[in-house]
Amino acid sequence: MGLLSDPNRRRALTSLVTRLNTPLCVLCYLVGVSWFMGLAFEPFMLRTYMSENAMGSTMVEEKFVFGERAISYTREFAGQKKKTGGMPVDWLVKTMKSRGLEVYTQSFSQTLPFPDEVKERYMVRGTNVYGILRAPRGPRTESIVLSAPCSEGNNNNQAVGLLLALASYFRSQIYWAKDIIFLVNEHDLIGMEAWLEAYHDVNMTGLTSSPIQGRAGAIQAALSLELSSDVITSMDVALEGLNGQLPNLDLVNLFYAFCQKTGVLCTIQGKLQRTDWDTLPGYTHSLSTMLLMVLKQGSGHPQGDHGLFLRYHIEAVTMRGINSFRQYKFDMTTVGKLIEGMFRKLNNLLERFHQSYFFYLMPSLTRFVSIGYYMPAFGFLALILVLRALDLWVQLSDPARALEDGVSEGEQDSSPSLLSLATPVIICHLTGLALYFLPVLSQEMAIQHFPVSETEAVVLTAIAIYVAGLALPHNTHRVLSGAGTERGWRSLKLFSLLYLAVLLGCTTLINFSLGFILAVTMIPVAAFIQPHRSSKVLHGVALILVSPATTLLLSIYLYHELIEYPVSLLECWQHFLTAVSQGILDHHLYGSLLYPLIALFIYPCWLQFWNIVFWK
């Protein structure tokens, strides 16, 4: 405190920080990126461990032997689905009732804001079927969910068959202290959202659905199952939920523990574990796994049906069976024992998951990086914005410093008015509002005047508005008093830097991966751009290369490289267009925050820096 209260010491500290501002900013960026890259190195990772006492031991003996029955159910379900041309509701109700469950159905409908060309749907109508196994040894105030989506074609038939076989087996056991809900949902995430909203008696997405007729207790945990073959070579676990939410780490540890017990190979991000952590191949493997998690979490898109449970504070994961060309295979009985073991441990829960981590990154299933380890990486990047803002504030408040930087006294005496600074900020945010509202609202007009489909109209309108923002009258300050000076753009940049720092800070607290991706790309360019005539083109190109759209395009390319499925530039562009349409649909259907965040805040903030580059 003495250092800041003493004018001489404060002046010396300010002079030091401003004189070394550029080297300090470069150092912070290198340290932040290096810190993040080092998180995949073993000394920076922690071993996973079980925090919940009720989850500690896997000594229970799994006795599930209905593997052949699961395959029989699969064949019946596939035949009935083909016969009815969709989800065989009547057959499912009859089969669940014959197994002693309380069976209910829920119909729902949803009209999409524009057609989903990926899944070829617009007006969605479907029915969810669920059966409740009441707890024979408990007050029936809590429940666990096992779900399996009814997918198109022959996908996921085995998951429904195994779910019915598990329901038949669980019905014969008497140790259940929680209700168990067996749910078969239609139309994947839309059906799951309809069921969750009806179960919790809320309507957040405008879905039309029939009310839930039968309820169990408060849902403590949920497992979503995806199987499309009678045998598997490994079981992959999907963690990333809506808006980057993650399940409690204890649930992931429980999955890994029972995979180890049953001998099933388990993967995360589709990658097996390595034990050579101290070698370069082991480090690159961990880094690629962690980067895949960052990219998926940053997208904000649920990576399975479990992703919608997390919004209701229900810990959930999706288990996805993989059948590759590996020699060792695991049958339905082994997979059933894996799920039985997990359910028996979840049955022991005395309270909701809360003791372990909710914020983490996973380079493997046996190692994790906690929030205390990865947040400093973002902190060093955010410090760049603070340092640059401090430098600008000193230049604006210290006339002597401004004169040293080559600013004339006439320019120094002219202070920008509030109106001159507010005008470009308002214009940028109005452009963001147009980017958020107009693509969907103007699709009918677009298809009338251009030979495009509704989906193409929405995507192309969004791109057109995005590009048009670059040509807005950003030089309105020239006709406003006191804005055409050095103090004008410095004041605007000071505000923009602080605004970007707040935006990225809030984003990182909600979704670290998204905030870090934006910070790595935007911060270095935003910190150093200036409206100098000699470097205007260079700064403009640099800004375009770190714009939100370019960041998305590069992220798609990097993702396909990490999954070892490289794409050409044209294919990457097609994936980019699909990602834009899916991002808008995710916002309207499930409440994803990525599209409004980019359109209403990140893009306008980026436009402010574009304004600064072309300041006259």
Short mmCIF file of all heavy atoms in Angstrom, two decimals, residues 511-543:
data_model
loop_
_atom_site.label_atom_id
_atom_site.label_comp_id
_atom_site.label_asym_id
_atom_site.label_seq_id
_atom_site.Cartn_x
_atom_site.Cartn_y
_atom_site.Cartn_z
N ASN A 511 -17.33 -21.38 -19.32
CA ASN A 511 -16.81 -22.39 -20.24
C ASN A 511 -15.34 -22.05 -20.50
O ASN A 511 -15.02 -21.24 -21.36
CB ASN A 511 -17.62 -22.38 -21.54
CG ASN A 511 -17.22 -23.49 -22.50
OD1 ASN A 511 -16.14 -24.05 -22.42
ND2 ASN A 511 -18.11 -23.81 -23.42
N PHE A 512 -14.45 -22.68 -19.73
CA PHE A 512 -13.04 -22.33 -19.83
C PHE A 512 -12.50 -22.53 -21.24
O PHE A 512 -11.74 -21.70 -21.74
CB PHE A 512 -12.22 -23.18 -18.86
CG PHE A 512 -10.74 -23.11 -19.11
CD1 PHE A 512 -10.00 -22.02 -18.69
CD2 PHE A 512 -10.08 -24.12 -19.81
CE1 PHE A 512 -8.64 -21.93 -18.94
CE2 PHE A 512 -8.72 -24.05 -20.07
CZ PHE A 512 -8.00 -22.95 -19.63
N SER A 513 -12.88 -23.62 -21.87
CA SER A 513 -12.31 -23.93 -23.19
C SER A 513 -12.65 -22.85 -24.20
O SER A 513 -11.78 -22.42 -24.97
CB SER A 513 -12.83 -25.29 -23.66
OG SER A 513 -12.41 -26.32 -22.79
N LEU A 514 -13.90 -22.41 -24.23
CA LEU A 514 -14.29 -21.36 -25.16
C LEU A 514 -13.56 -20.07 -24.87
O LEU A 514 -13.05 -19.39 -25.77
CB LEU A 514 -15.81 -21.15 -25.09
CG LEU A 514 -16.38 -20.02 -25.95
CD1 LEU A 514 -16.07 -20.26 -27.43
CD2 LEU A 514 -17.88 -19.89 -25.72
N GLY A 515 -13.50 -19.68 -23.60
CA GLY A 515 -12.80 -18.45 -23.23
C GLY A 515 -11.33 -18.51 -23.57
O GLY A 515 -10.75 -17.51 -24.05
N PHE A 516 -10.69 -19.66 -23.37
CA PHE A 516 -9.26 -19.76 -23.65
C PHE A 516 -8.99 -19.73 -25.15
O PHE A 516 -8.02 -19.10 -25.59
CB PHE A 516 -8.71 -21.06 -23.05
CG PHE A 516 -7.22 -21.17 -23.14
CD1 PHE A 516 -6.41 -20.49 -22.25
CD2 PHE A 516 -6.62 -21.95 -24.12
CE1 PHE A 516 -5.03 -20.58 -22.34
CE2 PHE A 516 -5.25 -22.04 -24.22
CZ PHE A 516 -4.44 -21.36 -23.32
N ILE A 517 -9.83 -20.39 -25.95
CA ILE A 517 -9.66 -20.36 -27.40
C ILE A 517 -9.75 -18.93 -27.92
O ILE A 517 -8.93 -18.47 -28.72
CB ILE A 517 -10.70 -21.26 -28.09
CG1 ILE A 517 -10.42 -22.73 -27.79
CG2 ILE A 517 -10.71 -21.03 -29.60
CD1 ILE A 517 -11.50 -23.67 -28.26
N LEU A 518 -10.75 -18.19 -27.44
CA LEU A 518 -10.90 -16.80 -27.86
C LEU A 518 -9.75 -15.93 -27.36
O LEU A 518 -9.29 -15.03 -28.06
CB LEU A 518 -12.24 -16.25 -27.37
CG LEU A 518 -13.50 -16.86 -27.98
CD1 LEU A 518 -14.74 -16.35 -27.26
CD2 LEU A 518 -13.58 -16.53 -29.47
N ALA A 519 -9.28 -16.21 -26.16
CA ALA A 519 -8.18 -15.41 -25.60
C ALA A 519 -6.89 -15.63 -26.38
O ALA A 519 -6.17 -14.67 -26.69
CB ALA A 519 -7.98 -15.76 -24.13
N VAL A 520 -6.57 -16.88 -26.70
CA VAL A 520 -5.33 -17.17 -27.42
C VAL A 520 -5.31 -16.48 -28.78
O VAL A 520 -4.26 -16.00 -29.23
CB VAL A 520 -5.17 -18.70 -27.58
CG1 VAL A 520 -4.08 -19.04 -28.59
CG2 VAL A 520 -4.81 -19.32 -26.24
N THR A 521 -6.45 -16.41 -29.44
CA THR A 521 -6.49 -15.84 -30.78
C THR A 521 -6.66 -14.32 -30.77
O THR A 521 -5.94 -13.61 -31.49
CB THR A 521 -7.64 -16.47 -31.58
OG1 THR A 521 -8.88 -16.33 -30.84
CG2 THR A 521 -7.39 -17.94 -31.82
N MET A 522 -7.55 -13.79 -29.96
CA MET A 522 -7.89 -12.38 -30.05
C MET A 522 -6.96 -11.45 -29.28
O MET A 522 -6.66 -10.34 -29.73
CB MET A 522 -9.33 -12.16 -29.55
CG MET A 522 -10.41 -12.74 -30.44
SD MET A 522 -12.07 -12.31 -29.89
CE MET A 522 -12.07 -10.54 -30.17
N ILE A 523 -6.48 -11.88 -28.13
CA ILE A 523 -5.78 -10.96 -27.24
C ILE A 523 -4.50 -10.38 -27.85
O ILE A 523 -4.30 -9.15 -27.80
CB ILE A 523 -5.49 -11.64 -25.89
CG1 ILE A 523 -6.78 -11.70 -25.06
CG2 ILE A 523 -4.41 -10.90 -25.11
CD1 ILE A 523 -6.63 -12.36 -23.71
N PRO A 524 -3.61 -11.19 -28.43
CA PRO A 524 -2.36 -10.57 -28.92
C PRO A 524 -2.58 -9.53 -30.00
O PRO A 524 -1.91 -8.48 -30.01
CB PRO A 524 -1.56 -11.77 -29.45
CG PRO A 524 -2.56 -12.85 -29.68
CD PRO A 524 -3.62 -12.64 -28.66
N VAL A 525 -3.50 -9.78 -30.92
CA VAL A 525 -3.75 -8.81 -31.99
C VAL A 525 -4.48 -7.59 -31.45
O VAL A 525 -4.16 -6.45 -31.78
CB VAL A 525 -4.55 -9.46 -33.13
CG1 VAL A 525 -4.89 -8.45 -34.22
CG2 VAL A 525 -3.76 -10.63 -33.72
N ALA A 526 -5.49 -7.83 -30.60
CA ALA A 526 -6.24 -6.70 -30.03
C ALA A 526 -5.35 -5.78 -29.20
O ALA A 526 -5.57 -4.57 -29.14
CB ALA A 526 -7.39 -7.23 -29.18
N ALA A 527 -4.33 -6.34 -28.58
CA ALA A 527 -3.48 -5.53 -27.70
C ALA A 527 -2.56 -4.59 -28.47
O ALA A 527 -2.23 -3.50 -27.99
CB ALA A 527 -2.66 -6.45 -26.79
N PHE A 528 -2.16 -4.98 -29.68
CA PHE A 528 -1.11 -4.23 -30.35
C PHE A 528 -1.54 -3.48 -31.60
O PHE A 528 -0.73 -2.80 -32.22
CB PHE A 528 0.05 -5.17 -30.70
CG PHE A 528 0.79 -5.67 -29.49
CD1 PHE A 528 0.56 -6.94 -29.00
CD2 PHE A 528 1.69 -4.85 -28.84
CE1 PHE A 528 1.23 -7.40 -27.88
CE2 PHE A 528 2.37 -5.31 -27.73
CZ PHE A 528 2.14 -6.58 -27.23
N ILE A 529 -2.79 -3.58 -32.02
CA ILE A 529 -3.21 -2.88 -33.22
C ILE A 529 -3.24 -1.36 -32.98
O ILE A 529 -3.52 -0.90 -31.87
CB ILE A 529 -4.60 -3.35 -33.70
CG1 ILE A 529 -5.64 -3.12 -32.60
CG2 ILE A 529 -4.57 -4.78 -34.16
CD1 ILE A 529 -7.06 -3.24 -33.10
N GLN A 530 -2.93 -0.60 -34.02
CA GLN A 530 -2.96 0.85 -33.99
C GLN A 530 -3.38 1.37 -35.37
O GLN A 530 -3.15 0.68 -36.37
CB GLN A 530 -1.59 1.42 -33.61
CG GLN A 530 -1.17 1.14 -32.19
CD GLN A 530 0.16 1.77 -31.85
OE1 GLN A 530 0.80 2.39 -32.71
NE2 GLN A 530 0.58 1.63 -30.61
N PRO A 531 -3.95 2.55 -35.44
CA PRO A 531 -4.39 3.09 -36.74
C PRO A 531 -3.27 3.80 -37.49
O PRO A 531 -3.45 4.93 -37.94
CB PRO A 531 -5.51 4.06 -36.34
CG PRO A 531 -5.09 4.56 -35.01
CD PRO A 531 -4.41 3.41 -34.32
N HIS A 532 -2.12 3.17 -37.61
CA HIS A 532 -1.02 3.77 -38.34
C HIS A 532 -1.16 3.47 -39.83
O HIS A 532 -1.39 2.32 -40.23
CB HIS A 532 0.32 3.26 -37.82
CG HIS A 532 0.65 3.79 -36.46
ND1 HIS A 532 1.72 3.35 -35.71
CD2 HIS A 532 0.04 4.73 -35.70
CE1 HIS A 532 1.76 3.99 -34.56
NE2 HIS A 532 0.74 4.83 -34.52
N ARG A 533 -0.97 4.46 -40.64
CA ARG A 533 -1.20 4.31 -42.07
C ARG A 533 -0.25 3.29 -42.69
O ARG A 533 -0.62 2.53 -43.58
CB ARG A 533 -1.03 5.66 -42.76
CG ARG A 533 -1.34 5.67 -44.24
CD ARG A 533 -1.38 7.08 -44.76
NE ARG A 533 -2.41 7.87 -44.07
CZ ARG A 533 -2.62 9.16 -44.29
NH1 ARG A 533 -1.88 9.82 -45.17
NH2 ARG A 533 -3.55 9.81 -43.62
N SER A 534 0.98 3.23 -42.19
CA SER A 534 1.97 2.33 -42.78
C SER A 534 1.66 0.86 -42.52
O SER A 534 2.01 -0.01 -43.31
CB SER A 534 3.36 2.67 -42.24
OG SER A 534 3.38 2.54 -40.82
N SER A 535 1.00 0.55 -41.39
CA SER A 535 0.74 -0.85 -41.02
C SER A 535 -0.75 -1.16 -40.97
O SER A 535 -1.14 -2.16 -40.38
CB SER A 535 1.37 -1.15 -39.66
OG SER A 535 0.87 -0.26 -38.67
N LYS A 536 -1.56 -0.32 -41.59
CA LYS A 536 -3.01 -0.51 -41.51
C LYS A 536 -3.44 -1.83 -42.16
O LYS A 536 -4.25 -2.57 -41.61
CB LYS A 536 -3.73 0.67 -42.17
CG LYS A 536 -5.23 0.63 -42.06
CD LYS A 536 -5.86 1.90 -42.58
CE LYS A 536 -5.44 3.08 -41.74
NZ LYS A 536 -6.12 4.33 -42.13
N VAL A 537 -2.89 -2.13 -43.33
CA VAL A 537 -3.26 -3.36 -44.03
C VAL A 537 -2.83 -4.58 -43.23
O VAL A 537 -3.59 -5.55 -43.09
CB VAL A 537 -2.65 -3.38 -45.44
CG1 VAL A 537 -2.93 -4.72 -46.13
CG2 VAL A 537 -3.20 -2.24 -46.28
N LEU A 538 -1.62 -4.53 -42.68
CA LEU A 538 -1.12 -5.65 -41.89
C LEU A 538 -1.99 -5.89 -40.67
O LEU A 538 -2.35 -7.04 -40.36
CB LEU A 538 0.33 -5.38 -41.48
CG LEU A 538 0.99 -6.46 -40.61
CD1 LEU A 538 1.06 -7.77 -41.36
CD2 LEU A 538 2.38 -6.00 -40.16
N HIS A 539 -2.34 -4.83 -39.97
CA HIS A 539 -3.20 -4.98 -38.78
C HIS A 539 -4.60 -5.47 -39.16
O HIS A 539 -5.21 -6.25 -38.44
CB HIS A 539 -3.29 -3.64 -38.04
CG HIS A 539 -2.04 -3.29 -37.32
ND1 HIS A 539 -1.83 -2.07 -36.72
CD2 HIS A 539 -0.90 -4.00 -37.09
CE1 HIS A 539 -0.65 -2.04 -36.15
NE2 HIS A 539 -0.05 -3.20 -36.37
N GLY A 540 -5.12 -4.99 -40.30
CA GLY A 540 -6.43 -5.45 -40.75
C GLY A 540 -6.44 -6.93 -41.07
O GLY A 540 -7.36 -7.67 -40.69
N VAL A 541 -5.41 -7.40 -41.75
CA VAL A 541 -5.30 -8.84 -42.06
C VAL A 541 -5.17 -9.65 -40.78
O VAL A 541 -5.80 -10.72 -40.63
CB VAL A 541 -4.11 -9.09 -43.00
CG1 VAL A 541 -3.87 -10.60 -43.17
CG2 VAL A 541 -4.36 -8.46 -44.36
N ALA A 542 -4.37 -9.16 -39.84
CA ALA A 542 -4.21 -9.88 -38.57
C ALA A 542 -5.54 -9.97 -37.82
O ALA A 542 -5.86 -11.01 -37.24
CB ALA A 542 -3.16 -9.18 -37.71
N LEU A 543 -6.32 -8.89 -37.84
CA LEU A 543 -7.62 -8.92 -37.17
C LEU A 543 -8.56 -9.94 -37.82
O LEU A 543 -9.30 -10.65 -37.13
CB LEU A 543 -8.26 -7.53 -37.20
CG LEU A 543 -8.14 -6.68 -35.93
CD1 LEU A 543 -8.87 -5.37 -36.13
CD2 LEU A 543 -8.69 -7.42 -34.72
#
